Amino acid sequence: MSGRVGDLSPKQTEALAQFREKIADVLDQLPNQTDHYLLRWLRARSFNVPKAEAMIRKGLLLSASKQDCLRTKVRDAELLRQECEKQSKKLGKYIESITIIYDCEGLGMKHLWKPAVEIYGEILTMFEENYPENLKKVLLIRAPKLFPIAYNLVKHFLREETRQKIAVLGSNWKEVLSNYVDADQLPAVYGGSMTDPDGNPLCKTMLRYGGVVPKSYYVRDSIKVKYDQFITISRGSSYQLDYEVLFPNCVLRWQFASEGSDIGFGLFLKTKGNETKKAEAMQEILATERYNSHLVPEDGSYTCEESGIYVVRFDNTYSVLHSKKVSFTVDVLLPEGHTGKQA
């Protein structure tokens, strides 16, 4: 049984009745009191009444400030909910879920900046907890090679049921999209027949495309980054850390900031049989450069084409007077087909 109105098993029917009884005291505070709405919460919790009740009450107990934050961050979810209601009235049947097409062209390492990933996770968590079963299918098109790494960073915020709704389409994505969307409702650039009045296949009068964010919207300088490690590097010295990369195509990602003055940074690879820590005896991957990370935090990444011991090196050998305090985080992001952490 699907767990939807008109297709309930006896146990599901009983669970719905229990659920409605359990939340009777807060029912009028919900945006919708229909069986359709309550069943979404039950399906999202595998018809576990106590869990569904707990999640509804948790959402209602949010402080006013947190509710405002929630509404701001998942405004799209609210708009989609309203669109479902609009389509329900138009079509004369209950519409409760949507299919999303994500065009991943242009996805790059800049989108994997750690504070941004943390915000993605927060939004996904709030979406999962407060807008259950809104999603029917997510179709990802033009996903770059980097996508599996990006997905690995956020998939743990999603329930298994949600993960199963996500499909990464291959080179025949236009053909597949036609199985989900009528041609006259799909822009020509995506394989449909819909165009702007002037014939533009992008349908820019109907769709809002993304692009480069204007610098006036930048908030990076106002975000306090939480680093994993803090060190003081004496004058005339350096500090090195070894990171073992077990699989080819892992991504080594770093972020760091210094206090008071600049700091040198470089990346090296230890050659087989070479245990020395001298920079000149290792294979140089990224030449050591001095960064003004006391003014602007520095972040970057490198795709490790081969496995081995990669050495991150902070360099203060050029300073004869001052030691440097450095805060940093270094992560090894796993490639497609690998989950969890490296041993």
Side-chain angles (χ1 to χ4, degrees), residues 76-291:
D76 286 349
E78 279 291 341
L79 293 174
L80 292 171
R81 184 183 65 81
Q82 294 171 13
E83 183 63 25
C84 284
E85 293 180 354
K86 177 182 176 182
Q87 293 299 321
S88 295
K89 294 178 181 178
K90 179 181 177 180
L91 300 174
K93 61 180 181 179
Y94 191 77
I95 305 297
E96 61 180 350
S97 59
I98 60 169
T99 294
I100 297 177
I101 300 171
Y102 273 116
D103 187 345
C104 299
E105 187 178 36
L107 178 69
M109 285 303 300
K110 63 184 178 182
H111 299 111
L112 303 187
W113 185 46
K114 190 174 182 181
V117 172
E118 291 172 349
I119 291 175
Y120 298 156
E122 183 180 350
I123 292 173
L124 288 172
T125 298
M126 288 192 294
F127 195 102
E128 289 273 73
E129 292 181 351
N130 294 275
Y131 296 88
E133 290 293 293
N134 262 9
L135 193 62
K136 182 177 182 180
K137 197 75 175 178
V138 176
L139 304 171
L140 294 147
I141 63 174
R142 298 198 280 199
K145 292 182 179 180
L146 175 69
F147 175 77
I149 293 174
Y151 184 55
N152 272 346
L153 291 175
V154 299
K155 70 179 183 181
H156 62 279
F157 293 106
L158 303 172
R159 297 180 301 112
E160 180 59 32
E161 292 84 353
T162 301
R163 295 182 200 175
Q164 292 177 2
K165 298 176 182 179
I166 299 173
V168 182
L169 307 187
S171 58
N172 66 332
W173 56 268
K174 288 187 178 181
E175 179 184 343
V176 176
L177 289 184
S178 67
N179 296 326
Y180 290 90
V181 187
D182 291 338
D184 61 351
Q185 298 297 310
L186 188 65
V189 70
Y190 292 124
S193 60
M194 186 170 69
T195 64
D196 274 336
D198 63 359
N200 189 333
L202 295 174
C203 300
K204 287 190 174 182
T205 62
M206 293 171 269
L207 301 177
R208 294 182 180 180
Y209 284 83
V212 177
V213 178
K215 289 188 177 181
S216 59
Y217 287 95
Y218 284 14
V219 296
R220 176 172 175 168
D221 293 341
S222 67
I223 296 177
K224 186 174 180 61
V225 179
K226 296 180 180 179
Y227 296 99
D228 292 340
Q229 299 187 58
F230 309 89
I231 57 173
T232 298
I233 305 174
S234 302
R235 60 182 184 175
S237 65
S238 63
Y239 187 88
Q240 299 180 175
L241 300 100
D242 291 358
Y243 291 89
E244 183 176 12
V245 173
L246 300 178
F247 316 108
N249 298 317
C250 285
V251 173
L252 193 66
R253 182 180 65 175
W254 57 84
Q255 300 165 80
F256 64 87
S258 55
E259 293 183 20
S261 188
D262 63 0
I263 191 68
F265 176 87
L267 180 65
F268 301 83
L269 175 63
K270 285 186 177 181
T271 56
K272 292 183 179 180
N274 182 9
E275 295 301 323
T276 181
K277 289 192 175 182
K278 294 182 178 180
E280 58 271 19
M282 294 185 286
Q283 179 184 340
E284 185 180 73
I285 302 298
L286 297 177
T288 300
E289 294 185 26
R290 292 168 65 173
Y291 293 90

